Amino acid sequence: MCEAMCGLAIEVDGERILSIRGDEEDVFSHGHICPKAVALADLHEDPDRLRRPVRRRGSDWEEVGWEEALDLVADRVLEVQRTHGPHSVAVYQGNPTVHNYGAILFGQMLLRALGTRSRYSATSVDQLPHQLAALLMFGHQLLLPVPDVDRTSFLLVLGANPLVSNGSMMTAAGIERRLRALRARGGRLVVVDPRRTETAALADTHLAVRPGTDALLLLALLQVLFAEGLARPGRLAAFTDGLSEVEGLARGFTPERVADRTGLAAADIRALARAFAAAPSAAAYGRVGLSTQEFGGLCQWLLVVLNVVTGNLDRPGGAMFTRPAVDLVAIADRIGQRGHFAKGASRVRGLPEFGGEWPAAVLAEEIETPGKGQVRALLTLAGNPVLSTPNGGRLERALASLDFMAAVDPYLNETSRHAQVVLPPVSPLERDHYDLVFHALAVRNTAKYSPPLFAPKADGREDWQILHGLAERIASRGGRRGLGSRLGSLAAGRLGPRGLLDLLLRLGPHGRGLRPWGRGLSLRALEKAPHGLDLGELEPALPAALRTSGRRIALAPPLLVADLARLRSRLDAPDPGGGLALIGRRDLRSNNSWMHNSARLVKGRERCTLLMNPSDAAARGLADGERVRLRSRAGAVDVTLAVTDDMRPGSVSLPHGWGHHRAGTRLSIAGARPGESVNDVTDELEVDGLCGTAVLSGVSVEVTPAAVPADVVR
Ligand code: SF4
């Protein structure tokens, strides 16, 4: 379910699951699991999970056969496209898609068949700035370095909580063990976060930065490194452009200059820069809290710059590139998908595209605003944007105005309840698994394939079959695809995901090619190794892996350099001070919005609480346990207050993925412990002005006593 790729040992008796444990022999996870693994049984057996397609009848739903359901969706989509043009049908792909290799491979076919430019995904509420930095600096949006956590001497973590996320854009099952090992071998762990997170509590040093100011901190670290002669890129200098330009850019951002804004002492910033530079090896790593802020694009760029100027990119113990069995970078090269940015602007607000997608923050306005290209129909693929994208309240009002909507989803959730047809895939235990994406982001090169545990029920369909069924119908009835493409789709359908995976493994860097036997990877070879295959530690890959012209690192890409003016003007303007800034939060027993219908995960203490520092609570006359109203420009929710000095004064935190009280869903357990959606408060108008990524960290909010009980407000 998450990026950690834990190996599971599942004991069954016929169709019954007896136990789920960590697979001690797994070459990567070595037996680690978290509580969500055991909840797979709840997901598989959940009576609320849809087993057959359903079609809306007024306010009710009726089950329909697969052929009828797929025909209906294809026909309605084509009808909208004929009437309003190809881009009037939008697609939103949710985060579970990246955990499902069949959905990745066949989702592309559906997108090609639709021929729509109205594409959205969870990328722009998550990792888009990582990919933007990779594209502009290394020439490929998927050249994403990961911290070599098992060998580093110094890990600097910004806006990430790996103890709870289990590692993100850093696949590292058992991360707590790995971080404790880092400290046991004399290494240092430093966490920069407005909250004393679970990871911060384990760290040697926690710096409670003010939300949204990490770019200033990173610039100040660079300023110290250059000013004190600590910038030593080593062998990277031979293939890096822009070192002196970066030095000049950082010059004005002294620790003293940014101290007030970041809320950090200049001496602490200076000490951090010196310690990072002095470490035998070091890696700076930042995740969602760093990406989803007003200057998220700058943050992810400056983070890489920090790794480069200290010589820590592409060396053991630093931030390294992987060599996975399926080489996504090479595949994307072959199909011309290295990535692109700002090749177009969104119709209403003019925000830039990234990799052919628009920011999720513009979806509602693209549905609401009349004119050529207005979105009139939506397909969601494993996505719940009402809970996962900013101002979900506005989005769901917009969804209600669509001419047609269909969802590929196992549940009637807060988003799919707006659909006319819902197409449910089989449970994760009824399909096979190979992690195309997260092997490519893992702290060690490994490969593992897991066959389905249970045969799908007679009329169960896997995600790829649903997507392929739709793609074939839309292509053949809409006539929008050439013969070559149709033949490709037919061949892919015949091979299925297993056949395609075998090809990708064979043609990958560890593969055996198309020879029927011999050394090297194939699907068969992986099937013979149920605990996975270890392909070795991360190794230096530069400059050969670079995709820029001349295979050089672009340390100062003009687009990013230009965006510094926005940051400078913010620093020069008077400090708004005073108010409260909202940040997000994850919970080990929660996985975005997916898993709240598991009784064993949601039982116990209330998790959807608003954390606030005691001084902020006292200033507002608020008490621990009280119901309070959290309000922004976009909306308001009533939540329970938890007063804790884990929060930096001036910041409050609410976890994401909750808000299951909407009528018309079929999530009986989640509905009984609904929580509130943080995205009823986040603001779709607050985005990183560079790349359109939603601002989910540092949203301006007010907190007051709740005037009336929450259920009355609803
Ligand atoms: S850490 Fe992630 S991969 Fe591992 S058991 Fe938990 S949800 Fe599954």
Side-chain angles (χ1 to χ4, degrees):
M1 271 180 285
C2 86
E3 303 179 30
M5 302 194 305
C6 298
L8 305 180
I10 306 182
E11 194 185 356
V12 297
D13 178 11
E15 288 285 300
R16 222 155 49 87
I17 298 168
L18 301 179
S19 71
I20 299 180
R21 291 173 288 110
D23 176 9
E24 302 285 342
E25 294 176 65
D26 186 279
V27 297
F28 185 63
S29 58
H30 306 292
H32 174 80
I33 54 167
C34 82
K36 294 188 286 287
V38 186
L40 269 174
D42 300 348
L43 180 59
H44 182 70
E45 292 159 3
D46 190 348
D48 285 344
R49 185 168 61 79
L50 300 172
R51 267 66 172 180
R52 286 171 208 86
V54 290
R55 169 186 192 165
R56 178 183 293 285
R57 285 279 182 220
S59 60
D60 217 343
W61 297 88
E62 68 172 9
E63 285 190 358
V64 288
W66 275 105
E67 297 306 306
E68 183 185 347
L70 292 169
D71 283 345
L72 177 61
V73 174
D75 288 344
R76 290 298 309 277
V77 159
L78 286 167
E79 188 185 315
V80 172
Q81 287 191 315
R82 277 188 206 107
T83 311
H84 301 287
H87 313 307
S88 62
V89 174
V91 177
Y92 179 91
Q93 291 184 277
N95 162 278
T97 310
V98 291
H99 297 271
N100 182 330
Y101 83 98
I104 293 174
L105 296 173
F106 285 84
Q108 289 303 315
M109 282 170 210
L110 176 59
L111 289 170
R112 239 191 345 264
L114 281 166
T116 178
R117 283 202 302 262
S118 300
R119 292 170 49 184
Y120 300 83
S121 80
T123 290
S124 54
V125 291
D126 192 337
Q127 84 288 354
L128 192 158
H130 293 250
Q131 291 180 247
L132 178 63
L135 175 66
L136 299 178
M137 301 179 79
F138 307 135
H140 198 300
Q141 61 169 335
L142 299 178
L143 269 172
L144 299 160
V146 297
D148 185 12
V149 68
D150 292 339
R151 288 183 288 181
T152 195
S153 307
F154 194 119
L155 185 64
L156 172 60
V157 175
L158 299 100
N161 188 8
L163 246 63
V164 165
S165 70
N166 284 304
S168 178
M169 307 289 279
M170 172 184 68
T171 291
I175 185 68
E176 181 171 353
R177 173 177 47 78
R178 294 173 197 264
L179 294 181
R180 287 190 189 280
L182 156 70
R183 296 194 61 221
R185 63 178 178 265
R188 260 189 89 184
L189 173 64
V190 175
V191 173
V192 176
D193 200 293
R195 180 168 77 92
R196 185 164 59 232
T197 61
E198 291 79 352
T199 308
L202 183 76
D204 299 275
T205 307
H206 169 218
L207 298 174
V209 70
R210 253 173 96 175
T213 64
D214 303 77
L216 294 173
L217 168 63
L218 288 162
L219 279 161
L221 293 175
L222 291 168
Q223 190 277 333
V224 175
L225 294 175
F226 284 113
E228 299 189 3
L230 301 174
R232 296 188 196 111
R235 73 177 185 96
L236 301 174
F239 50 88
T240 298
D241 294 325
L243 273 162
S244 56
E245 189 176 354
V246 166
E247 179 176 4
L249 294 169
R251 202 162 283 143
F253 294 90
T254 61
E256 290 72 18
R257 176 99 171 85
V258 306
D260 280 352
R261 281 307 165 87
T262 58
L264 302 176
D268 289 344
I269 298 174
R270 215 171 278 285
L272 175 58
R274 289 170 185 161
F276 193 85
S281 63
Y285 160 75
R287 268 302 281 131
V288 168
L290 201 67
S291 292
T292 57
Q293 56 175 278
E294 192 183 356
F295 298 101
L298 288 183
C299 284
Q300 291 296 348
W301 165 47
L302 296 167
L303 188 97
V304 179
V305 172
L306 182 61
N307 284 327
V308 171
V309 301
T310 52
N312 281 303
L313 184 77
D314 197 44
R315 83 165 176 203
M320 302 194 75
F321 297 92
T322 60
R323 194 162 174 264
V326 174
D327 187 348
L328 296 181
V329 172
I331 294 167
D333 273 355
R334 269 187 217 124
I335 59 174
Q337 300 232 350
R338 279 186 185 180
H340 43 78
F341 173 57
K343 285 208 162 164
S346 68
R347 189 178 63 99
V348 179
R349 210 188 312 174
L351 292 184
E353 66 78 41
F354 180 79
E357 291 182 4
W358 303 114
V362 308
L363 178 55
E365 68 199 28
E366 292 292 332
I367 296 172
E368 291 166 348
T369 310
K372 191 161 179 270
Q374 181 184 8
V375 171
R376 299 303 320 154
L378 176 67
L379 292 180
T380 59
L381 312 180
N384 192 354
V386 166
L387 294 193
S388 358
T389 65
N391 201 347
R394 178 178 175 186
L395 179 61
E396 65 180 340
R397 287 190 294 279
L399 296 183
S401 73
L402 288 167
D403 294 344
F404 180 71
M405 179 179 159
V408 177
D409 205 287
Y411 284 107
L412 283 173
N413 63 27
E414 295 72 20
T415 298
S416 62
R417 74 191 175 117
H418 292 280
Q420 275 86 54
V421 182
V422 182
L423 306 167
V426 296
S427 113
L429 300 182
E430 294 171 307
R431 62 175 167 83
D432 61 345
H433 294 264
Y434 181 85
D435 217 314
L436 276 185
V437 173
F438 297 108
H439 279 306
L441 294 170
V443 298
R444 191 172 177 92
N445 295 312
T446 63
K448 188 181 63 188
Y449 173 81
S450 307
L453 189 64
F454 300 118
K457 300 282 174 295
D459 53 355
R461 301 243 176 145
E462 295 184 36
D463 304 69
W464 76 269
Q465 292 171 307
I466 299 170
L467 301 175
H468 189 243
L470 285 176
E472 282 299 295
R473 282 166 173 81
I474 290 168
S476 60
R477 295 172 197 184
R480 223 185 325 280
R481 238 173 32 194
L483 182 64
S485 180
R486 287 230 57 208
L487 289 175
S489 171
L490 283 172
R494 185 62 68 88
L495 281 173
R498 273 177 55 87
L500 291 172
L501 176 61
D502 185 42
L503 263 180
L504 297 176
L505 289 166
R506 286 170 174 274
L507 299 176
H510 306 272
R512 71 170 56 158
L514 298 178
R515 296 186 304 278
W517 55 79
R519 293 162 73 91
L521 277 186
S522 66
L523 182 55
R524 234 186 117 151
L526 271 192
E527 283 177 309
K528 287 186 189 156
H531 307 291
L533 289 174
D534 184 17
L535 303 173
E537 56 198 9
L538 307 186
E539 289 173 1
L542 301 188
L546 293 167
R547 297 302 201 271
T548 45
S549 78
R551 299 204 187 273
R552 298 182 66 78
I553 297 171
L555 207 60
L559 278 167
L560 294 166
V561 170
D563 197 41
L564 277 176
R566 199 167 55 95
L567 182 65
R568 264 191 220 101
S569 70
R570 189 57 47 87
L571 185 59
D572 292 340
D575 189 341
L580 290 174
L582 174 68
I583 61 170
R585 183 162 101 240
R586 288 186 81 146
D587 188 288
L588 192 60
R589 304 177 79 86
S590 189
N591 197 8
N592 301 326
S593 63
W594 321 356
M595 289 299 290
H596 295 152
N597 216 43
S598 160
R600 83 180 86 198
L601 289 182
V602 296
K603 71 181 179 193
R605 66 177 169 82
E606 187 179 0
R607 292 188 170 77
C608 187
T609 54
L610 184 75
L611 305 185
M612 179 183 271
N613 184 273
S615 62
D616 291 322
R620 290 162 179 78
L622 302 171
D624 186 55
E626 178 179 350
R627 292 291 286 179
V628 295
R629 181 154 301 168
L630 173 69
R631 183 193 304 278
S632 72
R633 183 209 69 85
V637 294
D638 287 359
V639 285
T640 303
L641 186 70
V643 177
T644 168
D645 63 7
D646 284 346
M647 287 308 298
R648 178 199 154 75
S651 344
V652 290
S653 166
L654 191 69
H656 71 277
W658 297 88
H660 305 293
H661 50 69
R662 273 97 166 154
T665 61
R666 200 178 290 171
L667 294 159
S668 50
I669 293 168
R673 305 280 313 255
E676 294 290 345
S677 174
V678 71
N679 285 315
D680 285 342
V681 179
T682 58
D683 190 336
E684 80 284 14
L685 301 184
E686 285 192 32
V687 296
D688 178 343
L690 170 69
C691 55
T693 304
V695 173
L696 307 178
S697 307
V699 180
S700 299
V701 290
E702 292 169 9
V703 180
T704 55
V708 285
D711 52 351
V712 175
V713 174
R714 254 174 239 141

